[in-house]
Amino acid sequence: MPKMFGFSRGRMKLGRLRGHLHDPFHGPRSPAHPTKRSSHLTREEPVATSVSGLPDVLAWRCSSDTFDLNGRAFENSENWAVLSTDGEKPSPRFDHAAAIVGSKMIVFGGDSGNHLLDDTKILSLDKLTWDSVASKVCASPGGRPAQFRPCKGHCLVPWGKNVILVGGKSEPSSDRISVWTFNSETEIWSHMEAKGDIPVARSGHTVTRAGPVLILFGGEDTKGKKLHDLHMFDLKSLTWLPLNYKGAGPSPRSNHVAALYDDKILLIFGGQSKSKTLNDVHALDFETMVWSRMKTHGHHPSPRAGCCGALCGTKWYIAGGGSKKRRHPETWVFDVVESKWSVCVVPPSSSITTRKGFSMVPLYHRDKTVLVSFGGNKKEPSDKVEVLVVLQNEHCFSWRSVPDAEPIMYEDSSPASKELADHLNNCDPLYYSSVARHSLATTVESSSGRKSLPDSLLHNSKVGGSSLRRQFRQEEECSLAQKLQKPIDNDADAKANRVGRNSSDINHQHDTRIANLVRRNMALEEKLSAAMVSKDEAEKNLSLVIDTKEELEKKLAERDREVVALKEKVGGLEQAHEDSNNASNTVHADNVRLEREVAFLKAVMDETQKELHLTRGVLAGERARAFQLQVEVFHLKQRLQSMDGLSSAQRKPQNL
């Protein structure tokens, strides 16, 4: 492991341990996949805490139905929602890049549909206002003016107060990849004079950061060749180095997504290869430098390229993407620990996450994680901003919606009241909320004339009925002891002042007061019993509601599975249709070839018939000549015979 990665094995082990003990991101609010929580935690077991530092068991009980980003609240629809912004909005674009530094989202470059862009836009997340940045470029160390080119398909990586721009397709193109840095405070771009083995220029690649080191993978060069090389760039020494690895790594691809988990595992998903769209997941362990293809569980996403990814704890959110034929709207979540896919949300067709070339970055706002998307192109480029709220735990929307409950001191209370208040303040927070503890403690220090238990305790406390009744009786006994002690002290003073008072009158007064207190105590117990009955009925109703909710969630999960299965079937039918079209094209090509061959054979047959006809004519002529020769031979034979006859006739007279 190179030292310039900036993390040691000890830090990796510590990071893995913290990842198991404390994961501040509990995945999407998907009803199909509820988070399981243990209800038997003890003081000695580690309890995950929220951003506010308070236990999640307290935080999950405090929910809200709205998401308030700096005073701009809208209903939480558990899906992508448009975020209204002010100021000088960027021109519509796609294939740009975005990154968050502090409270600013920085957007650079992209394609407007007509030309490439080189402008820098900043969205202030404090005010939700867009600002334009003048294209100020710092001169190179050699004094030469650095040429800042418009580009698309590049990467922006945050680093401290800066963002690092790596690569991209520019006009005119360059041979080697370039690296720029933008300071979010001075708003100046600076070119980083890199050295070492500089990779070729490319676009559609991915860049992740591990400390002061950038890790680059894949992409597409200026000639359209897909790449799968791996490089690292040290931001301190400004040096590029190739990384050698073992195992069958990912195939050459571009427009994929990448994430670095636990500062030691590089994850690659999807992308476009030379011949097909991919949906595989590969992992590179930087301790062994071995690539491996991960075996995933659950319904996996269909092949896609051009999607966006954001790793939040152990949850890797993948939004959008598609193939050459269609776009895929759903937002998926991949559990890195369990290697399991699940659908997070399915946005409407109007969402910019259903378009190509949008950007997505994670924003950590208070105790929530918010995915922020911008831009994209469907029929025309967009300039919208959308957000998807990812909660820390499934039932909490904001811990800050609960008033802070500090331990209450009881300096003026009796020892019994102080003891009970200390018991309540020190009670395990896993059993009831701070609001209930605050209400009960306030009840204990209230005057002796209190008649009933506070409603906040009945509604907010998680203590069982018997425990609540026992605490209330302890409180009443303490109050009763105080009331008894006060008359006794008063009677002692009266005896000192009036020695001649009859003790029977004093006892009668004491008995009367005790009887009144007993009747009052009985009335309080009756009210408590009625409140407990109401509480039991409310809990039954709540359990029915929870059961109904679980049934609905199960039905929704089944519908989600059916939708995924139908999508897979539709994909299979489309593939079969494509195969049939390919077969039809092949048959048509064969038919055309056969028709050409038949035409050629017909032409050859016609030539043969012509030659045969000529041959037949020649043969007929030869036959006629042969017949003439035969006639001439016949005539010659007759002449010879006649001549032989004459000669024989001449010989006979001579013989005589």
Side-chain angles (χ1 to χ4, degrees):
M1 174 68 65
K3 290 183 179 180
M4 63 177 62
F5 266 86
F7 46 82
S8 63
R9 293 179 182 267
R11 179 183 169 187
M12 291 179 199
K13 294 178 180 178
L14 179 60
R16 287 197 296 273
L17 180 61
R18 289 176 177 173
H20 290 295
L21 294 181
H22 170 57
D23 178 13
F25 309 100
H26 298 287
R29 298 187 63 193
S30 174
H33 304 280
T35 302
K36 297 181 179 179
R37 299 183 181 275
S38 175
S39 60
H40 301 287
L41 297 175
T42 63
R43 294 177 181 267
E44 299 169 353
E45 294 174 346
V47 179
T49 58
S50 62
V51 175
S52 60
L54 295 170
D56 278 342
V57 182
L58 297 182
W60 72 262
R61 300 181 56 197
C62 313
S63 62
S64 173
D65 292 333
T66 59
F67 165 58
D68 184 6
L69 182 60
N70 299 318
R72 300 201 177 188
F74 52 86
E75 291 186 1
N76 173 30
S77 60
E78 297 186 357
N79 209 327
W80 287 97
V82 177
L83 182 64
S84 61
T85 57
D86 299 327
E88 185 179 352
K89 295 184 178 180
S91 58
R93 66 190 66 202
F94 61 98
D95 287 342
H96 55 280
I100 289 184
V101 176
S103 60
K104 301 177 181 179
M105 184 176 77
I106 300 172
V107 176
F108 173 77
D111 192 341
S112 66
N114 299 320
H115 60 276
L116 299 183
L117 302 171
D118 62 350
D119 55 346
T120 305
K121 300 292 183 178
I122 297 179
L123 175 61
S124 175
L125 299 172
D126 292 333
K127 303 176 182 178
L128 294 181
T129 303
W130 285 101
D131 293 324
S132 297
V133 176
S135 298
K136 295 183 291 184
V137 180
C138 181
S140 61
R144 297 174 299 174
Q147 187 177 3
F148 197 51
R149 301 173 180 174
C151 64
K152 68 175 183 178
H154 48 284
C155 292
L156 276 185
V157 182
W159 185 42
K161 299 178 181 179
N162 304 317
V163 291
I164 311 298
L165 187 151
V166 182
K169 183 178 182 180
S170 59
E171 294 178 358
S173 60
S174 57
D175 296 334
R176 298 292 171 181
I177 198 168
S178 60
V179 182
W180 291 77
T181 178
F182 176 77
N183 190 298
S184 61
E185 293 185 346
T186 61
E187 298 182 352
I188 295 178
W189 284 98
S190 302
H191 183 255
M192 305 181 78
E193 298 290 341
K195 53 188 176 181
D197 191 356
I198 304 176
V200 297
R202 64 192 67 197
S203 61
H205 53 285
T206 56
V207 177
T208 55
R209 184 175 64 85
V213 172
L214 302 181
I215 303 170
L216 179 145
F217 173 79
E220 178 181 302
D221 64 9
T222 55
K223 298 181 180 179
K225 179 183 178 181
K226 306 294 182 181
L227 306 171
H228 65 152
D229 50 349
L230 189 66
H231 300 266
M232 60 174 288
F233 181 67
D234 184 14
L235 293 170
K236 294 183 178 180
S237 62
L238 304 183
T239 304
W240 282 103
L241 290 175
L243 293 178
N244 299 322
Y245 53 82
K246 302 175 184 178
S251 58
R253 64 189 67 197
S254 64
N255 296 320
H256 52 281
V257 290
L260 186 64
Y261 173 68
D262 200 18
D263 277 354
K264 68 181 288 288
I265 297 178
L266 178 65
L267 301 172
I268 302 293
F269 167 74
Q272 180 68 45
S273 67
K274 182 179 180 181
S275 58
K276 63 179 180 179
T277 309
L278 306 169
N279 65 341
D280 50 353
V281 180
H282 291 264
L284 174 63
D285 190 339
F286 281 112
E287 288 187 348
T288 60
M289 293 305 295
V290 175
W291 277 108
S292 61
R293 181 168 180 172
M294 297 183 65
K295 295 182 180 180
T296 60
H297 308 288
H299 295 289
H300 58 277
S302 53
R304 62 192 63 204
C307 48
C308 293
L311 181 63
C312 302
T314 60
K315 310 296 183 181
W316 192 16
Y317 294 91
I318 307 294
S323 59
K324 295 181 179 179
K325 295 183 178 180
R326 61 172 182 167
R327 305 293 300 176
H328 303 296
E330 62 271 9
T331 299
W332 290 79
V333 57
F334 179 68
D335 193 311
V336 180
V337 176
E338 298 181 359
S339 299
K340 184 178 181 180
W341 285 104
S342 60
V343 176
C344 178
V345 295
V346 180
S349 59
S350 59
S351 174
I352 62 176
T353 59
T354 62
R355 309 185 178 198
K356 68 175 184 178
F358 69 96
S359 62
M360 185 179 74
V361 291
L363 166 65
Y364 306 109
H365 177 69
R366 297 178 181 172
D367 55 350
K368 292 174 286 289
T369 300
V370 184
L371 303 180
V372 184
S373 61
F374 169 73
N377 181 38
K378 199 170 188 179
K379 294 181 179 179
E380 58 183 13
S382 173
D383 60 352
K384 291 183 180 179
V385 179
E386 292 186 2
V387 294
L388 173 64
V389 181
V390 182
L391 300 184
Q392 277 197 346
N393 43 86
E394 310 240 346
H395 306 283
C396 173
F397 216 79
S398 176
W399 166 253
R400 289 173 177 80
S401 63
V402 179
D404 296 333
E406 299 295 338
I408 303 173
M409 303 305 295
Y410 299 93
E411 297 179 355
D412 299 330
S413 304
S414 64
S417 299
K418 291 181 180 179
E419 183 178 354
L420 180 58
D422 292 338
H423 168 72
L424 295 174
N425 283 325
N426 297 327
C427 187
D428 194 342
L430 301 180
Y431 291 101
Y432 54 89
S433 68
S434 58
V435 176
R437 186 169 67 250
H438 185 281
S439 300
L440 185 57
T442 306
T443 303
V444 173
E445 72 162 351
S446 64
S447 62
S448 60
R450 184 183 52 79
K451 294 294 189 297
S452 62
L453 197 63
D455 294 337
S456 59
L457 176 61
L458 294 177
H459 290 290
N460 295 325
S461 178
K462 290 293 182 182
V463 184
S466 61
S467 177
L468 184 63
R469 185 184 296 273
R470 184 167 55 252
Q471 290 185 10
F472 185 73
R473 286 180 177 175
Q474 290 176 356
E475 178 193 355
E476 291 300 323
E477 289 174 0
C478 293
S479 177
L480 182 60
Q482 295 175 21
K483 294 174 183 179
L484 292 175
Q485 183 67 31
K486 184 176 180 181
I488 292 173
D489 294 338
N490 292 336
D491 291 340
D493 295 335
K495 285 181 180 180
N497 297 327
R498 294 182 294 274
V499 181
R501 173 167 291 187
N502 191 352
S503 61
S504 61
D505 294 337
I506 296 175
N507 292 333
H508 178 71
Q509 292 177 0
H510 279 267
D511 293 337
T512 303
R513 291 179 181 177
I514 291 174
N516 292 333
L517 292 175
V518 169
R519 285 194 297 270
R520 189 176 300 171
N521 189 29
M522 293 175 62
L524 291 175
E525 286 183 350
E526 291 176 358
K527 291 182 179 180
L528 178 61
S529 299
M532 293 304 301
V533 171
S534 301
K535 178 177 177 291
D536 293 338
E537 292 178 355
E539 287 179 348
K540 290 180 181 179
N541 294 333
L542 180 60
S543 63
L544 292 175
V545 172
I546 292 174
D547 294 339
T548 305
K549 179 185 175 184
E550 290 177 353
E551 291 178 359
L552 292 176
E553 287 177 347
K554 290 179 181 178
K555 291 181 180 179
L556 182 59
E558 292 177 358
R559 294 294 182 273
D560 291 341
R561 288 192 292 269
E562 291 176 358
V563 169
V564 173
L566 289 175
K567 288 182 180 179
E568 291 178 353
K569 289 181 180 179
V570 170
L573 291 175
E574 289 181 351
Q575 184 65 33
H577 181 66
E578 184 179 358
D579 295 339
S580 64
N581 289 338
N582 294 335
S584 177
N585 294 334
T586 303
V587 171
H588 179 70
D590 294 339
N591 291 337
V592 172
R593 179 175 55 81
L594 290 175
E595 288 177 357
R596 291 178 179 175
E597 291 179 356
V598 169
F600 175 76
L601 291 175
K602 286 182 179 180
V604 171
M605 185 178 294
D606 293 337
E607 293 293 332
T608 304
Q609 288 179 353
K610 290 180 181 179
E611 291 178 358
L612 182 59
H613 181 71
L614 292 175
T615 303
R616 287 177 179 175
V618 172
L619 183 59
E622 293 296 330
R623 286 178 179 176
R625 290 179 60 188
F627 181 76
Q628 291 178 359
L629 288 175
Q630 287 179 357
V631 171
E632 290 177 358
V633 169
F634 178 76
H635 290 307
L636 288 175
K637 284 182 179 181
Q638 287 181 350
R639 291 177 64 184
L640 287 175
Q641 287 178 358
S642 62
M643 290 177 67
D644 288 339
L646 292 175
S647 62
S648 61
Q650 290 176 1
R651 285 187 193 129
K652 286 180 179 181
Q654 290 178 2
N655 290 334
L656 293 176

